[in-house]
Amino acid sequence: MAKHHVSFTINGDPTEILCETHATLLDVLRDELELTGTKEGCSTGDCGACSVTVDGRLVCSCLMLGVEANGKAIGTVEGLAKGDKLHVLQEKFLEHHALQCGICTPGFLVASKALLEKNPDPTETEVRYWLAGNLCRCTGYDKIVRAVMDAATVMRGA
Amino acid sequence: MRYEAPETLEAATALLAAEMGIARVLAGGTDLLVQMKTDMVDPALVVDLKRIGEMRTITKAVDGFHIGAAVSGAELKEQVELKQHWPGLVEAANLIGSTQIQGRATLGGNLCNASPAADSIPALIAANATVSIFGPKGRRQLAVEDVVLAPRKTALDKGEFVVSFHIPLRAKGMGDAYLRFIPRTEMDIAVVGAGIGLKTDPSGVITAARIGLGAVASRPLHVKAAGDALVGSKLDKAAVDKMVDAVRAACKPIDDKRGTIEFRIKVAGVIAARAAAIAYDRART
């Protein structure tokens, strides 16, 4: 099987790997780089558990080949906290009990961060539409939306 | 599987034309990767078109907008001028999938995936779009309604791919809109879709109208009779009724879990009338 030399940055760190043609970016993150924060849910772009950013753009890492990452800047959930210091979104998810089983949480965090970078003061409707591609079967979404709205308020004040 | 990411149109078509096995072009990949994952297709060659400049840019020229076939939905949405000219088209493209899908999904992919229910195609038909196709014999143009022939089947020959879309500039008195019916508010496939593009004279009389329908036949339809029914009117009830009749007469939908034949035909008329009202308002402001 042919392997491709692929270089990109992950959360700012330059990274080089040998990537099989078939491997998705999700496979590369989890299996090659052991960055298992990004979760595999449906593998068909429906659930958003594998959400990452590519050059700042929110995408499903299951719907992108690893070789396509060449030269790109990838952002994953591992890039949110700075050492032991959680990101505001992570703190607010804890505070509002915005998770139960947690498998959707990395995707929600990455998607919410991408939203707030683009739109620091979203309405509840905007939050709900932006996050429509992230599925959660535990919380009923309400606590997630509240956590994101609260985080937005804090981040605007900071 | 081989992966190639050529930087020119010529190199891309040469790769596609020379491949003896199954070749697929890759733009956003939101359909292709799912098809590969579910074993619907096992390509011997994947040609990533995103390094070809013309496919990734939107330019405004005197003759209209040229939209690269590999521009993502999220990028389209950020093109303020395109949105001012053709809001219906941008809205239709942005209805496809989630924020994550929008980050990758492209107009070229939505067209060439050749689904009868593709949201952007009726809106492209309404906007009178033509596509620029590149292949072993060079470049050719095709009206957007002539690209999809049947589910998963396009008019593209071996080695050919869609490079860009051309859409005229919106003149004064023109407006467009796209509406679809889905049983919820987000993240679903159209049960019926209708795109309308209108041109009005200064007194508000419609001088031209194009109507595209999705999910009501084996391919997206341009219903000329429906557009013609509106010409000469100010979108009064009699003209709208005539248009609705023409829309329903053109529908040859399937029965499936998303909607029955009877429901699709009925709803096609209803949403075409609603889209026409929005397009008319936009044409008049």
Side-chain angles (χ1 to χ4, degrees), chain A residues 10-88:
Chain A
I10 289 246
N11 303 319
D13 296 332
T15 308
E16 290 186 32
I17 54 147
L18 285 175
C19 174
E20 292 196 0
T21 316
H22 265 102
T24 62
L25 177 59
L26 175 65
D27 297 333
V28 169
L29 291 172
R30 291 183 56 85
D31 302 340
E32 296 289 326
L33 299 170
E34 298 183 348
L35 291 171
T36 53
T38 304
K39 302 304 179 197
E40 179 167 23
C42 66
S43 296
T44 51
D46 294 294
C47 79
C50 67
S51 297
V52 300
T53 56
V54 177
D55 287 347
R57 195 73 80 181
L58 186 68
V59 305
C60 289
S61 58
C62 74
L63 291 186
M64 178 169 164
L65 294 174
V67 287
E68 290 182 82
N70 199 25
K72 307 285 186 195
I74 312 296
T76 70
V77 71
E78 286 89 350
L80 263 68
K82 298 291 171 236
D84 290 340
K85 173 81 182 136
L86 293 180
H87 189 278
V88 176

Side-chain angles (χ1 to χ4, degrees), chain B residues 18-19 24 33 37 71 82 85 88 102 110 117 120 128 142 153 157 164 196 205 209 212 236 254 266 283:
Chain B
E19 177 58 48
R24 284 285 185 274
L33 265 76
K37 182 69 101 182
V71 169
L82 180 66
H85 280 252
Q102 284 291 315
N110 199 223
S120 70
N128 204 5
L142 209 56
K153 189 167 165 41
D157 290 327
S164 62
I196 315 258
V205 172
D236 49 84
I254 53 166
K266 169 103 178 154

Side-chain angles (χ1 to χ4, degrees), chain B residues 68-90:
Chain B
V71 169
S72 73
E75 288 163 339
L76 269 187
K77 195 178 183 175
E78 288 163 8
Q79 287 286 329
V80 176
E81 226 180 345
L82 180 66
K83 222 170 149 180
Q84 284 165 352
H85 280 252
W86 296 103
L89 170 59
V90 177

Side-chain angles (χ1 to χ4, degrees), chain A residues 21-23 62-69, chain B residues 1-6 12 16 23-34 36 43 45-52 55-56 69-71 104-106 108-109 112 160-162:
Chain A
T21 316
H22 265 102
C62 74
L63 291 186
M64 178 169 164
L65 294 174
V67 287
E68 290 182 82
Chain B
M1 182 178 95
R2 241 177 356 124
Y3 168 88
E4 300 284 353
L16 290 166
R24 284 285 185 274
V25 299
L26 169 61
T30 53
D31 287 308
L32 178 62
L33 265 76
V34 176
M36 284 161 52
L45 171 69
V46 167
V47 178
D48 185 348
L49 301 174
K50 292 191 294 296
R51 294 207 188 150
I52 302 172
M55 302 212 44
R56 292 280 304 129
V71 169
R104 295 261 297 164
T106 67
C112 296
E160 286 190 322
F161 55 93
V162 172

Side-chain angles (χ1 to χ4, degrees), chain B residues 218-268:
Chain B
S218 59
R219 62 188 203 134
L221 301 176
H222 170 218
V223 188
K224 189 172 180 305
D228 290 347
L230 296 178
V231 173
S233 80
K234 290 186 173 180
L235 208 69
D236 49 84
K237 188 176 178 306
V240 172
D241 286 348
K242 237 173 93 185
M243 179 272 280
V244 166
D245 286 345
V247 161
R248 289 184 176 142
C251 294
K252 289 182 185 61
I254 53 166
D255 256 321
D256 72 3
K257 63 181 177 183
R258 293 199 171 82
T260 61
I261 291 171
E262 188 189 16
F263 179 81
R264 282 187 153 110
I265 292 173
K266 169 103 178 154
V267 171

